[in-house]
Amino acid sequence: MSSRLSLGSTATAVALLSVTLTLTAQEPAHASANRIRLGNASDTSRTSWNGPAFTMNGAGAVIPASMSRAVNDITGGTGTMDVVVLAGSAPTSGSATPECDTVMTLTGVNSCTTWTLTAAGDGNNSQVNTDVRNAEFVYFAGGDQCRYAAWKGTALEASVESVVAKGGGSGGGSAGHHINSPIVYDACNGSVTSAEALANPYDRYISFTTGMFEWANYGAVVNDSHFVTRDRMGRTMAFLARSVKDGLAPGGAAWGVGVEEGGGSLYLDRNGMATQYGKDAYVVLADHQPEQAVDRKPLTYSGFKIWRLTPGSTFDFKNRPTCGYYLRSVTNGVADTNLYNGTPQTNCGSQGGGTLAETEPNDTRDAANDATTLASPGTVTGSMKSTTDRDYFKVSLNSGQTASVNCAVPSAYDADLYWLDSTGSTLERSVNNGAGSDESVSFTRTAAGTGTYYLELEAYAGSGTASYSCSVTKS
């Protein structure tokens, strides 16, 4: 949690803008909602947009470089768009609209409206939802993410999702960064330090909200902010161990995204490619069950995989890398030294034992998760989230090479396994009957050269969040 930041240096621009202030007294149940609009009083009207786009900031302020890219990508470089800022509290000093002050300096912005909503019921305010649905980007200000989590299940949650669905975007800083991950450390019981979280990963200050915003290519992620300055690597490790242990992360692997304050911003484009701006960010992976994660005992977890993203570097969230990380562990609540620096591993392919957790959407061959660089023997994991779910993984085989795939299927559903060629034709299949029935296939490439193939897991009966696990061995 953090206080909202003020950008008073841009206040002089406000005099040139159209400003409206509306207290929603006409809706007594939502009288806590304040509205301030800068820029054009009328919304942009357009039939299509080119997003989605997301900005994940380490502190509450809008970062001009990443926000400008979001505006350009969403508009396609032509015309203008509207932005709404959602805040759970008013700034304590300076401008009343610090985020919009910055947004209105950017090319391609038609208007920016700040809504300050101090009650959970404000999520059903009709004017708030109209403004949000008419916007092309929603920015969550810094403050208290617990207030944002209280909007789960309100009309406002659906309104924000509609902005992303039409090709707009979402983002935020500090608390606003937290709320944009599918697993939200909500801080509703108070803020936790790294030392406290490592000493007891079930500390009463650690609570999560799930099932709110689940953006494409960003599955199984826990966001954290002010990352290096406030030394939050340790608590992120505890959050990830909890997420794996408690089944919050589909596929049995959880990812942390920690962004540094002072200008740090992770920009995520429509294809799942992230670019880092300003200051460093860290991607942290927990891909196995913790050795110890129980209440009132310190955390033990071996081998967190950590990618350090310096400004200008990229990270593919759609096809998440299986190499380039450094390793750090926690033993009896004590983390290794040098958590924020390490030598990236470059020989991951020869080690074996890699894991690729599915990232939705991966329901077609075109959207398949890329397992071509997965070490052998490796593992792909996921779950059948609906009775019509299909998960695709792309693999490759050299001439004369054999792939053996063995899938452990949980008792929650019956899933079938298919081995497809590059055109989608079935070459091998395993369709054992019954929930929890394991599946296996084997295929040898006899043609010359290297070929592309696809593993398809298809729900036959039942569904659930319990994970399947498929070992993939090439020989």
Side-chain angles (χ1 to χ4, degrees):
M1 297 187 292
S2 67
S3 299
R4 286 186 66 190
L5 302 180
S6 129
L7 301 176
S9 60
T10 60
T12 56
V14 178
L16 302 177
L17 304 172
S18 169
V19 181
T20 63
L21 172 61
T22 303
L23 296 177
T24 56
Q26 70 274 22
E27 297 186 53
H30 307 295
S32 54
N34 277 353
R35 177 183 189 264
I36 303 176
R37 184 178 178 102
L38 307 183
N40 199 316
S42 299
D43 293 319
T44 295
S45 178
R46 181 163 151 177
T47 57
S48 63
W49 302 93
N50 298 321
F54 306 91
T55 62
M56 309 289 189
N57 300 348
V62 171
I63 304 304
S66 61
M67 188 66 198
S68 182
R69 180 171 173 187
V71 171
N72 188 72
D73 284 358
I74 290 169
T75 63
T78 62
T80 61
M81 57 179 259
D82 300 290
V83 177
V84 168
V85 173
L86 297 176
S89 60
T92 56
S93 62
S95 172
T97 58
E99 297 82 13
C100 279
D101 293 349
T102 300
V103 169
M104 288 306 303
T105 67
L106 306 179
T107 300
V109 175
N110 176 65
S111 73
C112 186
T113 303
T114 298
W115 275 101
T116 303
L117 310 176
T118 58
D122 291 334
N124 291 315
N125 181 298
S126 60
Q127 188 175 3
V128 173
N129 283 280
T130 296
D131 279 349
V132 169
R133 287 181 176 273
N134 288 340
E136 286 69 56
F137 196 93
V138 180
Y139 188 89
F140 290 82
D144 181 353
Q145 62 263 34
C146 186
R147 294 193 178 190
Y148 300 150
W151 298 338
K152 177 182 175 181
T154 68
L156 186 54
E157 178 189 347
S159 294
V160 174
E161 291 166 346
S162 76
V163 173
V164 172
K166 73 180 180 183
S170 178
S174 191
H177 172 52
H178 284 268
I179 202 64
N180 272 282
S181 59
I183 305 169
V184 179
Y185 163 61
D186 57 35
C188 289
N189 297 326
S191 185
V192 70
T193 66
S194 286
E196 291 167 339
L198 293 175
N200 180 9
Y202 286 83
D203 188 287
R204 65 187 182 89
Y205 288 141
I206 302 177
S207 58
F208 301 102
T209 294
T210 59
M212 195 169 178
F213 299 131
E214 307 212 10
W215 307 133
N217 305 312
Y218 207 62
V221 170
V222 185
N223 283 346
D224 209 345
S225 57
H226 305 279
F227 201 63
V228 179
T229 298
R230 301 187 187 180
D231 189 22
R232 287 178 165 173
M233 179 71 81
R235 77 175 198 176
T236 290
M237 290 172 163
F239 296 164
L240 299 180
R242 277 280 305 271
S243 296
V244 173
K245 179 71 177 294
D246 297 348
L248 303 180
W255 300 73
V257 174
V259 182
E260 174 60 333
E261 62 181 52
S265 180
L266 185 104
Y267 176 80
L268 186 67
D269 72 16
R270 62 183 293 176
N271 298 312
M273 183 63 70
T275 303
Q276 186 60 26
Y277 288 85
K279 291 292 183 70
D280 292 353
Y282 293 81
V283 178
V284 186
L285 170 62
D287 59 4
H288 63 79
Q289 287 288 330
E291 286 81 357
Q292 178 171 282
V294 295
D295 189 20
R296 301 181 184 180
K297 289 188 178 181
L299 176 67
T300 295
Y301 190 104
S302 60
F304 286 101
K305 297 174 181 177
I306 305 172
W307 289 261
R308 180 183 179 184
L309 307 184
T310 56
S313 62
T314 60
F315 189 92
D316 190 344
F317 277 93
K318 181 176 182 180
N319 300 299
R320 301 184 189 187
T322 57
C323 205
Y325 53 81
Y326 61 94
L327 295 170
R328 293 292 182 266
S329 298
V330 177
T331 305
N332 290 324
V334 179
D336 290 343
T337 58
N338 297 322
L339 290 180
Y340 300 96
N341 292 282
T343 302
Q345 298 199 11
T346 58
N347 62 342
C348 314
S350 63
Q351 295 177 355
T355 299
L356 175 63
E358 69 155 329
T359 303
E360 294 285 3
N362 64 341
D363 301 327
T364 66
R365 285 182 292 112
D366 289 340
N369 295 153
D370 190 353
T372 55
T373 60
L374 185 66
S376 176
T379 303
V380 297
T381 64
S383 61
M384 296 287 97
K385 298 174 182 59
S386 71
T387 56
T388 59
D389 196 7
R390 296 184 177 188
D391 293 343
Y392 288 83
F393 299 90
K394 182 168 70 172
V395 296
S396 62
L397 284 181
N398 298 324
S399 180
Q401 197 170 36
T402 298
S404 300
V405 184
N406 296 281
C407 295
V409 180
S411 59
Y413 47 79
D414 182 353
D416 293 332
L417 172 65
Y418 297 85
W419 180 272
L420 312 178
D421 67 15
S422 59
T423 68
S425 297
T426 300
L427 301 177
E428 300 288 344
R429 67 176 184 171
S430 177
V431 290
N432 296 323
N433 289 327
S437 296
D438 295 343
E439 308 287 356
S440 62
V441 297
S442 180
F443 177 83
T444 301
R445 178 174 173 81
T446 57
T450 300
T452 297
Y453 301 91
Y454 295 89
L455 286 178
E456 178 194 353
L457 275 293
E458 180 179 335
Y460 179 76
S463 62
T465 58
S467 299
Y468 60 77
S469 178
C470 300
S471 65
V472 182
T473 303
K474 298 179 183 180
S475 59

